[in-house]
Amino acid sequence: MDAFILQILNGLDKGSAYALIALGLTLIFGTLGVVNFAHGALFMIGAFCAVTLQKIFGISFQTIDDTQTDFLGNPLKVDTPYIEAWFGPEMGMAIQDWSVPLAILLVIPVMFFLGWVMERGLIKHFYSRPHADQILVTFGLAIVVGELIKAFYGANPIQTPAPDMFLGTVDVGAWLGMDSGAVAYPKWRMVYFAFSLVTIGAVFAFLQFTTFGMVVRAGMADRETVGLLGIDIDKRFTFMFGLAAAVAGMAGVMYTPILSPHYNIGMDFLVLSFVVVVVGGMGSLPGAVLAGFMLGILQSFASMNEVKAVIPGIDQIIIYLVAIIILLTRPRGLMGRKGVMEE
Amino acid sequence: MLGLNSRDFKLFIVVCLMALAAPILLNPFPTASALGESFNAGYPALMQRFVIFGILVIGFNILFGLTGYLSFGHAAFLGVGSYAAVWMFKLLSYNVVPAIILSVIVAGLFAVVIGYVSLRRSGIYFSILTLAFAQMSYQLAYSVFTPLTNGETGLQVYNDDPQILMGANSPTSPHFFGLEMNSQYTLDISGWSFVFQNGYYLSAIFLILGFYLSIRIFRSPTGLMLRAIKSNQTRMSYTGINTKPYMLAAFVISGMYAGLAGGLLAAMDPLTGAERMFWTASGEIVVMAILGGVGTLIGPVLGAGIIKYLENIVSKINDSILHQWFAFMPDWLEGVLVTIIHPFIGKGWHLTLGLLFMAVVIFLPGGLVQGGQKIGGLFRRKKTDDAADGAKTPAE
C-alpha cells in the first residue's frame, strides 16, 4: 500500500509538469490552430529565467578585509553580493535563498512578452500555411533557442536549489495513519504539485468566469462568427499565446529545483508533452490536464521494480505505448472534440 | 533513355557524373593551401556522408515529398539498418553484401509494422506517432535490447565473434568480395591530391541506383497516385480508391532507403549506436529535405550535401581562422566581427543550422531548388532569347 501511494505521489510532480506544458500547447492549438513545437523551448526559457535571477542575486563586489588573512598571509578578499549590501545581510541571504520562487515574478512578464513577440513576429505569418510548415518553423525556433541557451549558459546542468525551507521531505505516511517514514515525499515536489493545481485552476477560472475568457472560448468554437460580431478576436488570441507562454515559463521556473536545467530540457519535455496532448485529445483543455497527470503516474508505476521484473524496459516506453494504443482505439484522444485536426 | 524522358535523363546523367567525379570536383583548391584546408570537401569520410545521407533523404522525400506525410521518426530505420549490418559482420564475415541486404530487409519489415500502425492517422497525428515509435526504439535499444544493441557502448565486432564465413585470408575490415572499403588510391597532380576510395564508390553506386529508382517512382502511376493523396486524400477515397496500400508502399520504400543508408554507414565504419535513432537525427533528415526542396528530384541530394558540407566547414572554423580572414580590416572592426560571428562557428554549428532552417522555411518553403528556379526565372524574363539559361536551373 505504501509503495502504491509513493508511486502515485512520484507521478504527480512529473505529471504536473506535463499537464502544465500540455495545457499551454492545447491553449495555443485551440485558439490559434498552431502546432507549437517551440513550446518546450518556452518551458526552458522559464527555467533559465530562474538561473539568471540566481546569478543576478549572486553578483558581488570585492572588499579587502584587513582583520582577516587568507592562508598565504595576505589580507582576505571578501565577496559581498550587492543584494546583501543593499538590504542587509539577513534580508540579502533570504532573497538569494528564495531566488526560485521570486523568479516567478520575473518570468510572468518576460514570458508574456516573448510569447507576444513570437506570435506577432513569426507565428502570425503561418496561419495560412500547412500544419507541416508550422511544425517545421517552430521546430527550427526550438533548435535556435536551445543552442542560444547553450552558447550563453554552457552545456552542463546548472543547480538551482529550492529555498532551505522546502528542503527535506514530508512524511505523508504519517498523515494517512501509516508508520512514520513509510511514505516520505520531498517538500518541493509537494509545492510543485500544489503550484500546478493553482495555476491550472487559475487558467480554467479565467476562461470560465471572465468575459474575456468567454469571448476566447467562443472564438475557439467559432472564430469567424465572433469576428463578425465585431470583436477583435486576433488580439485576444495573441493574449492567449502570451498566457500559454507564461504558464510554460512558470512551469519551467518551478521545476528547476527538481531537475537542474540544461539546454536540452525543453526538447525532452516537448516530445512527451506532445504525446500527452495527443492522448488527451487535440484542443481539449481538461483532456490535456487529465492525460498529463495520468501519464505521469503511469510512468512512475512502470518504473517500480515489481513491474519492471514482469515487463523489462516498460518504464522507458510506457508513455509512447499508451499513446499508440489510445490513438489507434480512440483516434480523437481521451476527450478530443469532433472535427479537430481531422483533415 | 533508360525509361526516362530527356529532361530526367539529363538530370540523371548530371547526378551520375557528379557522384562519380566527386573526388575531383570537390577539391577545387590545392590540398596544402589555406583555402584547401578550409573548403575542400573531397576526402572520403566526408564524401561518404554526402552520398549516404543523400540516399537517406531521397528515401524520405519519396514519403514526405510525394504524399505530404511528415515522418518525424525516420532515423529509427537508419539505426535498425546499421544494427542489422553490424550483426551480419559479427555473424558471417566482413563482406558487405549480406550486411546491406539484411539491413534493407530488416528496415523494410520494421517499416511495415510502424507504417501499418502510424498510417491509420494523418497530419500531425502521423508525425507524432512516428516520433513516438522512433523514441521507443531509441529507449529500447538502450534498455531491454542491450543484448542485441550493446547499449551505450555501441555495437561493434569483437575478436571472439563467430564470423563463420571468415576465411583465413579474409580482410579484417568491411570489404566487397575482397575489395576493402577503406583502401584508397591517391592521385597527386601538382599540389592537388585526389583520393579515390572503394567505400565511397560503393556508396556512390547505391546513390545512383537509388536516385534512378526515385525518378522512376516519381514518374510512375503509383507516384501520380501518391501525389493525388497529397492534394486531396478524401477525394481519392470518394472515387473508390483504397489509398492505404499506396501509402504503406511509399512508407516501406522510404524506410528501406533509410535502412540501406544505415547499412552503408555500418559498412564504412563497422560500429553503431542508438544515438543514430535519436529524434534529433530524425529532425536533421527533415532539415535536409526541406533545405534542398521537398517533392523535387534533385532537392534531397542537394540538401544532404549542403548540410553535411556546411557542418564540416562551420565546425572546423575557429576564432584564429576568422582573424586571418579579417586581417585586412582595422583591428576594432575585426574584433567586432569576430565577436559577432563567434557563436555561430565551431561548436555553434547547430545554431547556424537552426537559423538557416528557419530562414528556408519562412522565405523559401520550396527549398533551394525553388530558389534556383526563381533566380532562373528572373534571368529568363530579362533576356528571353537566351534559352541556354534554363539548363542551368535544376529540372525540378
Side-chain angles (χ1 to χ4, degrees), chain A residues 145-227:
Chain A
V145 171
E147 291 300 317
L148 281 177
I149 295 273
K150 188 166 114 182
F152 280 108
Y153 294 91
N156 295 325
I158 300 170
Q159 295 247 331
T160 36
D164 287 337
M165 214 183 117
F166 298 111
L167 300 179
T169 56
V170 190
D171 198 348
V172 180
W175 297 354
L176 299 170
M178 278 182 272
D179 301 338
S180 66
V183 183
Y185 191 60
K187 277 183 196 161
W188 183 259
R189 294 182 182 226
M190 208 64 134
V191 172
Y192 194 82
F193 177 56
F195 159 80
S196 75
L197 285 188
V198 170
T199 312
I200 291 168
V203 169
F204 274 91
F206 176 70
L207 285 175
Q208 213 66 37
F209 301 124
T210 62
T211 320
F212 192 101
M214 188 186 71
V215 174
V216 168
R217 276 187 296 132
M220 282 166 87
D222 190 344
R223 180 180 188 149
E224 210 177 354
T225 311
V226 176

Side-chain angles (χ1 to χ4, degrees), chain B residues 58-89:
Chain B
I58 288 176
F60 178 77
N61 189 41
I62 290 177
L63 181 70
F64 183 42
L66 283 180
T67 68
Y69 275 57
L70 173 58
S71 158
F72 245 90
H74 236 61
F77 305 123
L78 181 84
V80 168
S82 291
Y83 279 126
V86 177
W87 268 108
M88 279 288 111
F89 294 146

Side-chain angles (χ1 to χ4, degrees), chain A residues 35 122 129 136-137 139-141 143-144 147 267 274 278 282 312-313 316-317 320 324 327-328 331 341 343, chain B residues 117 121-122 124-125 128-129 133 135-136 139-140 144 279 283 286 290 350-351 354-355 357-358 361-362 365:
Chain A
V35 183
L122 182 69
R129 306 248 303 245
L136 292 171
V137 79
F139 174 69
L141 185 65
I143 299 179
V144 171
E147 291 300 317
M267 288 298 193
F274 252 109
V278 169
M282 222 66 190
Q316 304 284 331
I317 59 164
Y320 305 112
I324 289 164
L327 274 189
L328 294 180
M341 281 300 291
E343 73 270 32
Chain B
V117 178
R121 310 289 295 136
S122 62
I124 168 114
Y125 288 109
I128 291 173
L129 271 176
F133 271 116
Q135 279 299 89
M136 227 165 89
Q139 304 279 16
L140 285 177
V144 191
W279 72 276
V286 181
I290 301 284
H350 280 103
L351 180 59
L355 288 172
F357 179 53
M358 277 180 74
V361 177
I362 295 171

